[in-house]
Amino acid sequence: MTWSILGAGSLGCLWAARLSRAGLPVRLLLRDRQRLNAYRALGGVTLIEDGRESLYPIPAETAAQGAPIQRLLLACKAYDAESAAASVAARLAPGAELILLQNGLGSQQAVSAHLPRARCLYASSTEGAFRESDFRVVFAGFGQTWLGDEHGGPAPGWLAELEQAGIPAQWSENILERLWRKLALNCAINPLTVLHQCRNGELAGHPDEVAALCDELGQLLHACNYSAAAQELQGDVERVIAATAANFSSMYQDVAQGRRSEIAYLLGHACREGDRLHLALPRLRAVHERLRAYLVARGLPDT
Ligand code: NAD
Ligand code: KPL
């Protein structure tokens, strides 16, 4: 069965290139004819690994036209997920499977709600990749991708294809807990790197702020019944800060490059869940408000 990939950015191209070189059928779905022409002019996806680049001439078509879609990887930013999914909704075969590869939470549920006849799996990834230019992607860090179904059900047989393609993926029986844990980690690190204008490692100089956020995120995780995700949160956050000390967080990079951030699906989602559960979370809300003001002052969306 063909892998359709919508969102030919960093992770979408990384997956496409690896599936293609494993000999698995894969096609890219591009936004419109202009993007398709630009892609064709380049001759395919270029993946750069350890300084070596390879070109993969993966077939592509526009999102609007083509054969029915049975299996789709949706690899766009959280704020684009609903409209991207809507652009292919009419092409989804009955019982189609979607893999929603977005950071944070909220977008996955919004997409699933619009596609009740599809099986929407959620993915949480710690792999790293960035776009050097259009359809030219650099593999930047080994990691793991967890996949799971919020509504239960068996692991799909095609996980073996991911293994065959060298995509490190594992099935999770509790994908929401995985996504919440990553959300908490991102909420404890990313906004502070923006507000302090610093690399991840420099947060070691702000231990009280990090500890206060971890404490409230832990309260939130407990209240959401994700107690396992709250375990050792602060220790893990400190370990990530140390292990990625020289890096700029993804949110820092988005803001520095004048791109929209995923704030609404990280801190925004955490604060909305706090409201729903009547939790005070004063430090988390204060950081959220400071970050929103920071974004607005730079002409960037604060949601
Ligand atoms: P990206 O911005 O590099 O790529 C997204 C692509 O989707 C872009 O090419 C964009 O043009 C395309 N797109 C958006 N709307 C579309 C539409 N309607 N039709 C067709 N294409 C559309 O994003 P990314 O870095 O690959 O990240 C995807 C998700 O994975 C994000 O939520 C991100 O936070 C998460 N993530 C990224 C990394 C990483 O290292 N890049 C790691 C872990 C998680
Ligand atoms: O996931 C990250 C991000 O930048 O989004 C961390 C783990 C914080 C590494 O920078």
Side-chain angles (χ1 to χ4, degrees):
M1 194 178 286
T2 299
W3 285 86
S4 297
I5 298 190
L6 181 61
S10 313
L11 291 188
C13 286
L14 178 65
W15 277 52
R18 293 183 295 192
L19 290 165
S20 167
R21 76 176 162 211
L24 293 161
V26 54
R27 62 184 167 182
L28 295 177
L29 310 185
L30 302 178
R31 197 187 293 266
D32 52 29
R33 189 141 287 279
Q34 198 183 346
R35 287 283 289 166
L36 184 59
N37 290 340
Y39 174 74
R40 289 191 173 145
L42 291 168
V45 166
T46 298
L47 177 62
I48 301 156
E49 293 161 291
D50 281 335
R52 283 189 306 275
E53 60 179 76
S54 310
L55 178 69
Y56 299 91
I58 297 163
E61 61 200 29
T62 60
Q65 278 167 341
I69 297 166
Q70 311 266 359
R71 186 187 302 151
L72 177 80
L73 172 69
L74 181 63
C76 61
K77 299 284 193 185
Y79 47 76
D80 281 330
E82 265 188 271
S83 58
S87 75
V88 292
R91 287 182 60 187
L92 295 176
E97 290 176 301
L98 277 77
I99 301 158
L100 307 180
L101 179 47
Q102 278 74 43
N103 247 358
L105 275 159
S107 69
Q108 301 88 341
Q109 290 80 359
V111 170
S112 322
H114 287 302
L115 303 172
R117 291 187 304 141
R119 185 182 190 199
C120 288
L121 305 178
Y122 305 166
S124 176
S125 183
T126 58
E127 286 201 284
F130 64 88
R131 235 174 338 152
E132 222 179 51
S133 56
D134 277 356
F135 310 112
R136 202 179 151 82
V137 166
V138 179
F139 178 55
F142 293 97
Q144 179 69 36
T145 299
W146 295 93
L147 297 152
D149 186 339
E150 176 176 6
H151 304 293
W158 45 255
L159 283 183
E161 292 191 7
L162 297 183
E163 194 180 340
Q164 184 188 339
I167 297 172
Q170 276 192 54
W171 187 247
S172 167
E173 293 295 342
N174 197 345
I175 190 66
L176 284 182
E177 187 144 54
R178 293 258 167 213
L179 282 158
W180 264 109
R181 174 73 170 196
K182 178 129 197 288
L183 179 150
L185 205 114
N186 286 139
C187 284
I189 298 176
N190 299 14
L192 293 181
T193 63
V194 176
L195 294 171
H196 289 295
Q197 281 296 285
C198 70
R199 292 177 195 267
N200 293 352
E202 290 167 64
L203 294 184
H206 303 277
D208 296 348
E209 273 181 285
V210 172
L213 290 185
C214 289
D215 177 50
E216 291 188 2
L217 287 161
Q219 292 174 36
L220 178 60
L221 292 172
H222 278 296
C224 291
N225 287 324
Y226 296 122
S227 299
Q231 299 279 315
E232 278 293 307
L233 178 62
Q234 189 178 333
D236 255 13
V237 165
E238 287 165 359
R239 273 188 285 281
V240 170
I241 287 174
T244 63
N247 297 359
F248 288 109
S249 76
S250 54
M251 188 180 271
Y252 177 102
Q253 293 180 47
D254 284 341
V255 176
Q257 288 165 34
R259 291 191 304 243
R260 184 172 176 182
S261 73
E262 295 181 302
I263 177 176
Y265 304 88
L266 296 168
L267 270 179
H269 187 80
C271 291
R272 280 191 301 278
E273 282 300 290
D275 291 340
R276 191 178 63 82
L277 296 161
H278 306 293
L279 297 175
L281 310 176
R283 300 295 288 269
L284 206 59
R285 292 181 196 282
V287 169
H288 186 214
E289 287 314 314
R290 277 168 60 206
L291 183 61
R292 291 183 64 190
Y294 187 97
L295 296 174
V296 168
R298 279 151 191 81
L300 292 170
D302 62 342
T303 57

